Amino acid sequence: MQTIRLKDNTFTMAITAEELERQVSRVASEMNRDYEGQRPLLLAVLNGAFVFAADLMRRLTVDCEVEFVKLASYQGERSGGQVRDIIGLHTDIEGRQVIVVEDIIDTGLTMLHMVETLKSRHPASVDICTLLLKPGKLQTKLDVRYCAMEVADDFLVGYGLDYDGLGRNYKDIYSIIH
Ligand code: IMP
Ligand code: MG
Protein backbone atom coordinates (compact mmCIF):
# COMPACT_ATOMS: atom_id res chain seq x y z
CA MET A 1 0.00 0.00 0.00
CA GLN A 2 1.36 3.42 -0.94
CA THR A 3 -0.96 5.36 1.35
CA ILE A 4 -3.01 4.52 4.42
CA ARG A 5 -5.76 6.42 6.17
CA LEU A 6 -5.97 6.59 9.98
CA LYS A 7 -8.78 8.59 11.54
CA ASP A 8 -8.66 12.04 9.93
CA ASN A 9 -5.19 11.78 8.38
CA THR A 10 -3.51 10.24 5.34
CA PHE A 11 -0.03 8.78 5.50
CA THR A 12 2.32 7.89 2.68
CA MET A 13 4.90 5.09 2.53
CA ALA A 14 8.24 6.32 3.90
CA ILE A 15 10.36 3.31 4.93
CA THR A 16 9.82 -0.17 3.53
CA ALA A 17 9.81 -3.34 5.61
CA GLU A 18 12.86 -4.51 3.63
CA GLU A 19 14.85 -1.40 4.55
CA LEU A 20 13.80 -1.74 8.20
CA GLU A 21 14.93 -5.36 8.18
CA ARG A 22 18.32 -4.37 6.75
CA GLN A 23 18.91 -1.65 9.33
CA VAL A 24 17.67 -3.74 12.28
CA SER A 25 20.06 -6.51 11.18
CA ARG A 26 22.92 -4.04 11.08
CA VAL A 27 22.14 -2.82 14.62
CA ALA A 28 21.94 -6.42 15.85
CA SER A 29 25.35 -7.17 14.31
CA GLU A 30 26.85 -4.16 16.09
CA MET A 31 25.36 -5.35 19.39
CA ASN A 32 26.58 -8.91 18.86
CA ARG A 33 30.08 -7.52 18.33
CA ASP A 34 29.99 -5.04 21.24
CA TYR A 35 28.48 -7.44 23.78
CA GLU A 36 30.34 -10.59 22.86
CA GLY A 37 30.70 -12.86 25.88
CA GLN A 38 28.39 -10.66 27.98
CA ARG A 39 24.77 -10.76 28.98
CA PRO A 40 22.94 -7.48 28.41
CA LEU A 41 19.43 -6.76 29.66
CA LEU A 42 17.22 -5.17 27.01
CA LEU A 43 14.56 -2.84 28.36
CA ALA A 44 11.99 -2.36 25.62
CA VAL A 45 9.84 0.72 26.12
CA LEU A 46 6.14 0.01 25.66
CA ASN A 47 4.07 0.35 23.69
CA GLY A 48 5.90 1.54 20.60
CA ALA A 49 9.09 -0.54 20.79
CA PHE A 50 7.50 -3.98 20.94
CA VAL A 51 7.84 -4.73 17.22
CA PHE A 52 11.40 -3.43 16.96
CA ALA A 53 12.46 -5.24 20.14
CA ALA A 54 11.06 -8.55 18.86
CA ASP A 55 12.86 -8.27 15.51
CA LEU A 56 16.09 -7.04 17.09
CA MET A 57 16.21 -9.73 19.74
CA ARG A 58 15.69 -12.54 17.25
CA ARG A 59 18.88 -11.39 15.53
CA LEU A 60 20.99 -11.34 18.69
CA THR A 61 23.30 -14.27 19.25
CA VAL A 62 24.80 -13.10 22.56
CA ASP A 63 23.11 -14.23 25.78
CA CYS A 64 20.51 -11.58 26.53
CA GLU A 65 17.36 -10.95 28.54
CA VAL A 66 14.42 -8.65 27.89
CA GLU A 67 11.91 -6.80 30.05
CA PHE A 68 9.14 -4.51 28.90
CA VAL A 69 8.88 -1.20 30.72
CA LYS A 70 6.69 1.84 30.59
CA LEU A 71 7.09 5.40 31.78
CA ALA A 72 4.09 6.26 33.91
CA SER A 73 3.20 9.91 34.37
CA TYR A 74 1.42 11.21 37.42
CA GLN A 75 1.22 14.52 39.22
CA GLY A 76 3.89 14.68 41.90
CA GLU A 77 3.81 16.31 45.31
CA ARG A 78 5.84 19.28 44.15
CA SER A 79 3.60 21.95 42.67
CA GLY A 80 3.13 21.36 38.99
CA GLY A 81 5.89 18.80 38.96
CA GLN A 82 5.38 15.90 36.60
CA VAL A 83 6.90 12.81 38.16
CA ARG A 84 7.52 9.88 35.83
CA ASP A 85 8.25 6.43 37.14
CA ILE A 86 9.40 3.31 35.35
CA ILE A 87 6.84 0.55 35.72
CA GLY A 88 7.27 -3.10 34.81
CA LEU A 89 10.92 -3.36 35.79
CA HIS A 90 11.09 -6.46 37.96
CA THR A 91 14.78 -7.23 37.55
CA ASP A 92 17.47 -5.80 39.81
CA ILE A 93 19.62 -3.86 37.36
CA GLU A 94 22.46 -3.09 39.78
CA GLY A 95 25.72 -4.01 38.04
CA ARG A 96 23.88 -5.03 34.84
CA GLN A 97 24.56 -3.85 31.31
CA VAL A 98 21.28 -2.27 30.30
CA ILE A 99 20.19 -1.45 26.75
CA VAL A 100 17.09 0.74 26.47
CA VAL A 101 15.18 -0.13 23.30
CA GLU A 102 12.90 2.67 22.05
CA ASP A 103 10.81 3.17 18.92
CA ILE A 104 11.65 6.80 18.23
CA ILE A 105 13.58 9.66 19.81
CA ASP A 106 12.01 13.01 19.01
CA THR A 107 12.91 15.76 21.52
CA GLY A 108 14.85 13.18 23.52
CA LEU A 109 13.22 14.22 26.80
CA THR A 110 11.54 10.84 27.34
CA MET A 111 14.81 8.98 26.81
CA LEU A 112 16.80 11.42 28.95
CA HIS A 113 14.39 10.86 31.82
CA MET A 114 14.48 7.09 31.34
CA VAL A 115 18.29 6.99 31.39
CA GLU A 116 18.54 9.27 34.44
CA THR A 117 16.01 7.16 36.36
CA LEU A 118 17.78 3.92 35.44
CA LYS A 119 21.18 5.29 36.46
CA SER A 120 19.89 5.92 39.99
CA ARG A 121 19.61 2.12 40.29
CA HIS A 122 23.36 1.69 39.67
CA PRO A 123 23.57 -0.41 36.51
CA ALA A 124 27.07 -1.12 35.15
CA SER A 125 26.12 0.71 31.95
CA VAL A 126 23.12 2.09 30.08
CA ASP A 127 23.16 2.15 26.28
CA ILE A 128 20.48 3.71 24.11
CA CYS A 129 19.11 1.79 21.13
CA THR A 130 16.44 3.43 19.01
CA LEU A 131 14.75 2.39 15.81
CA LEU A 132 14.32 5.99 14.66
CA LEU A 133 15.91 9.31 15.57
CA LYS A 134 14.78 12.79 14.51
CA PRO A 135 18.00 14.83 14.72
CA GLY A 136 16.13 17.99 13.74
CA LYS A 137 13.94 17.84 16.85
CA LEU A 138 16.45 16.73 19.47
CA GLN A 139 16.51 19.13 22.43
CA THR A 140 18.95 17.30 24.67
CA LYS A 141 22.44 15.91 24.52
CA LEU A 142 21.92 12.16 24.27
CA ASP A 143 24.58 9.60 23.54
CA VAL A 144 22.68 7.29 21.17
CA ARG A 145 24.88 4.24 20.69
CA TYR A 146 22.56 2.31 18.37
CA CYS A 147 20.21 3.86 15.82
CA ALA A 148 18.58 1.99 12.95
CA MET A 149 17.63 5.10 10.96
CA GLU A 150 17.67 8.88 11.17
CA VAL A 151 14.48 10.47 9.84
CA ALA A 152 13.00 13.89 9.00
CA ASP A 153 10.80 15.76 11.47
CA ASP A 154 7.47 14.49 10.08
CA PHE A 155 5.09 12.32 12.12
CA LEU A 156 5.46 8.61 11.40
CA VAL A 157 3.34 5.50 11.99
CA GLY A 158 3.75 1.77 11.48
CA TYR A 159 6.12 -0.96 12.72
CA GLY A 160 4.94 -0.30 16.28
CA LEU A 161 4.56 3.47 16.02
CA ASP A 162 1.05 4.80 16.46
CA TYR A 163 -1.23 7.69 15.70
CA ASP A 164 -3.69 7.85 18.58
CA GLY A 165 -3.34 4.10 19.14
CA LEU A 166 -3.71 3.19 15.47
CA GLY A 167 -1.20 2.15 12.81
CA ARG A 168 1.15 -0.02 14.90
CA ASN A 169 0.21 -3.08 12.84
CA TYR A 170 1.71 -2.00 9.51
CA LYS A 171 5.02 -3.62 8.55
CA ASP A 172 6.24 -0.53 6.67
CA ILE A 173 6.56 2.98 8.10
CA TYR A 174 4.35 5.79 6.81
CA SER A 175 4.72 9.57 7.01
CA ILE A 176 1.84 12.01 7.55
CA ILE A 177 0.67 14.09 4.59
CA HIS A 178 -0.22 17.63 5.62
P1 IMP B 1 10.37 12.60 22.91
O1 IMP B 1 10.34 12.64 24.40
O2 IMP B 1 9.99 13.93 22.31
O3 IMP B 1 11.70 12.11 22.36
O4 IMP B 1 9.21 11.65 22.43
C1 IMP B 1 9.39 10.34 22.26
C2 IMP B 1 8.05 9.62 22.22
O5 IMP B 1 7.06 10.36 21.48
C3 IMP B 1 8.23 8.32 21.51
O6 IMP B 1 8.50 7.29 22.41
C4 IMP B 1 6.92 8.15 20.79
O7 IMP B 1 6.01 7.44 21.62
C5 IMP B 1 6.39 9.52 20.56
N1 IMP B 1 6.69 9.99 19.18
C6 IMP B 1 7.58 10.93 18.79
N2 IMP B 1 7.57 11.10 17.47
C7 IMP B 1 6.66 10.22 16.97
C8 IMP B 1 6.21 9.90 15.63
O8 IMP B 1 6.65 10.45 14.61
N3 IMP B 1 5.27 8.92 15.56
C9 IMP B 1 4.77 8.26 16.64
N4 IMP B 1 5.16 8.54 17.90
C10 IMP B 1 6.10 9.51 18.07
MG1 MG C 1 7.19 5.64 22.83
Side-chain angles (χ1 to χ4, degrees):
M1 265 176 294
Q2 282 310 305
T3 63
I4 56 170
R5 184 129 183 105
L6 298 172
K7 296 184 84 175
D8 47 348
N9 277 292
T10 306
F11 299 76
T12 184
M13 169 87 80
I15 309 171
T16 63
E18 289 72 27
E19 181 63 12
L20 288 167
E21 192 185 332
R22 251 193 308 277
Q23 299 303 332
V24 173
S25 294
R26 174 186 52 80
V27 169
S29 304
E30 292 171 13
M31 257 180 210
N32 285 328
R33 179 197 62 204
D34 296 345
Y35 283 92
E36 195 185 344
Q38 301 171 78
R39 183 177 164 169
L41 169 65
L42 276 62
L43 294 186
V45 184
L46 291 174
N47 294 328
F50 80 107
V51 178
F52 174 42
D55 282 349
L56 176 71
M57 197 161 181
R58 279 178 290 182
R59 295 187 175 279
L60 294 181
T61 51
V62 292
D63 284 349
C64 56
E65 295 171 56
V66 67
E67 288 229 33
F68 294 87
V69 299
K70 209 162 188 165
L71 270 181
S73 303
Y74 60 91
Q75 288 297 319
E77 305 251 304
R78 285 170 299 157
S79 55
Q82 268 266 310
V83 180
R84 304 190 81 194
D85 252 0
I86 298 173
I87 53 174
L89 182 52
H90 306 298
T91 302
D92 180 10
I93 65 167
E94 188 171 341
R96 295 295 305 269
Q97 289 167 305
V98 171
I99 304 173
V100 183
V101 180
E102 178 61 294
D103 55 353
I104 185 164
I105 297 176
D106 188 277
T107 63
L109 297 172
T110 305
M111 183 55 87
L112 183 70
H113 184 82
M114 176 67 85
V115 169
E116 293 301 312
T117 307
L118 289 171
K119 280 185 175 165
S120 71
R121 301 185 188 201
H122 310 292
S125 59
V126 181
D127 276 347
I128 296 173
C129 173
T130 188
L131 175 71
L132 305 172
L133 172 71
K134 292 180 179 170
K137 306 240 336 228
L138 206 56
Q139 289 179 19
T140 52
K141 249 184 75 74
L142 273 183
D143 186 7
V144 180
R145 187 167 189 187
Y146 304 103
C147 173
M149 297 188 76
E150 293 193 352
V151 292
D153 295 350
D154 314 290
F155 191 81
L156 302 169
V157 295
Y159 198 75
L161 287 93
D162 75 302
Y163 167 53
D164 214 2
L166 297 176
R168 298 192 198 275
N169 47 305
Y170 291 95
K171 62 182 172 43
D172 308 289
I173 287 181
Y174 294 80
S175 181
I176 198 161
I177 300 175
H178 295 287

